Amino acid sequence: MLHQALQYLEELIAQGEHQQQDFKYRIQDAVKLARSVSAFANTDGGRLLIGVRDDGHLSGVRSDEEIYMMEKAATTCCRPASDISFETFQAEGRTIVIATIPRATRRPVCAVDEKGKKTAYVRVNDENIVASPIHLEIWKQDKASTVVMTYSEEETQLLDTLRLHPGVTLNRLVRLSGLSRYRVIKSLARFIRYDIAQMNYHEEQFLFALAPSQTDGQP
């Protein structure tokens, strides 16, 4: 049984940190951990391997206090509280805890700091990134369950701008389109929800472009 546990952990560790997995050497701050919980809950879900160093070596969970802080991060330090489950493994004489966070059905899940400020995060590759205004608008529209997709004159103008200037930031898209920031955010979120546009993270900023299906055959 111990051999199976070690083999399972080794398989997970071999994957490294990625979109749905993060290593935590130790838990000292529930508020900081809440950022990881928020990011996983708002994206594709994921797991935290607690007691594993960044290089993959096992350090082990040192006390029950760390498990308590993990629970606090998901419940007290997240709004709304995130689901979280724990599995404990013994390997190489050390205790390793795997905390699994499912993708939230109610998004955004925000991390709450010491001053009570709420911030939503998303997971991009192996990083926790502050959610953009577009993420927030997409989640807002998801709750409204809008299913009708029609194009206004302003939205056609925005599509033309994306076609001419692929891979632009939100601020630049606002300037190039000549539309209000409010209108660009609302329309861009709709385009992304319906796979008309896409959002990518590159060099610490979110960039927007038409989806490949919208550019096929374009000169």
Side-chain angles (χ1 to χ4, degrees):
M1 195 70 178
L2 289 175
H3 175 72
Q4 289 180 336
L6 180 58
Q7 184 179 23
Y8 175 62
L9 287 172
E10 287 176 343
E11 289 173 355
L12 292 182
I13 291 169
Q15 297 176 16
E17 294 180 313
H18 53 72
Q19 182 97 358
Q20 293 182 277
Q21 182 166 283
D22 201 1
F23 299 158
K24 294 294 180 184
Y25 161 47
R26 62 186 304 180
I27 304 300
Q28 296 176 296
D29 189 335
V31 172
K32 289 183 179 179
L33 182 61
R35 298 172 189 169
S36 293
V37 175
S38 167
F40 282 135
N42 287 330
T43 312
D44 298 318
R47 56 181 169 262
L48 291 162
L49 274 60
I50 314 296
V52 178
R53 297 178 183 271
D54 288 343
D55 61 7
H57 285 87
L58 305 182
S59 57
V61 173
R62 297 170 182 268
S63 69
D64 291 340
E65 178 69 14
E66 290 189 70
I67 297 177
Y68 166 74
M69 281 195 285
M70 284 186 279
E71 293 176 335
K72 180 180 178 182
T75 55
T76 306
C77 299
C78 282
R79 291 288 184 277
S82 172
D83 290 334
I84 189 168
S85 60
F86 302 97
E87 290 181 278
T88 301
F89 297 86
Q90 299 297 323
E92 297 181 357
R94 295 176 173 85
T95 300
I96 309 298
V97 176
I98 298 179
T100 301
I101 299 98
R103 183 176 185 270
T105 54
R106 293 174 55 206
R107 296 181 293 173
V109 171
C110 296
V112 184
D113 66 16
E114 298 88 342
K115 297 181 180 180
K117 180 183 177 182
K118 297 190 292 184
T119 304
Y121 292 82
V122 292
R123 186 79 173 172
V124 181
N125 297 323
D126 60 352
E127 296 183 77
N128 301 326
I129 309 296
V130 175
S132 73
I134 304 300
H135 288 103
L136 300 178
E137 179 61 28
I138 287 171
W139 296 329
K140 180 179 177 181
Q141 291 183 15
D142 283 344
K143 291 178 183 177
S145 299
T146 304
V147 295
V148 178
M149 186 68 211
T150 57
Y151 295 103
S152 67
E153 184 177 334
E154 288 182 331
E155 286 172 328
T156 300
Q157 184 175 332
L158 183 57
L159 286 172
D160 289 340
T161 305
L162 283 169
R163 188 170 289 110
L164 291 171
H165 304 278
V168 293
T169 63
L170 173 60
N171 288 340
R172 186 154 187 258
L173 188 55
V174 170
R175 291 195 299 270
L176 290 170
S177 67
L179 302 173
S180 71
R181 183 180 176 87
Y182 171 81
R183 171 49 57 195
V184 171
I185 289 173
K186 296 280 285 187
S187 298
L188 197 51
R190 292 182 68 206
F191 293 161
I192 292 170
R193 290 179 67 232
Y194 288 95
D195 297 322
I196 296 167
Q198 61 185 15
M199 171 169 49
N200 296 304
Y201 191 71
H202 180 67
E203 294 184 350
E204 300 186 354
Q205 56 187 353
F206 288 102
L207 303 177
F208 303 91
L210 290 180
S213 61
Q214 302 297 310
T215 57
D216 290 347
Q218 291 293 327

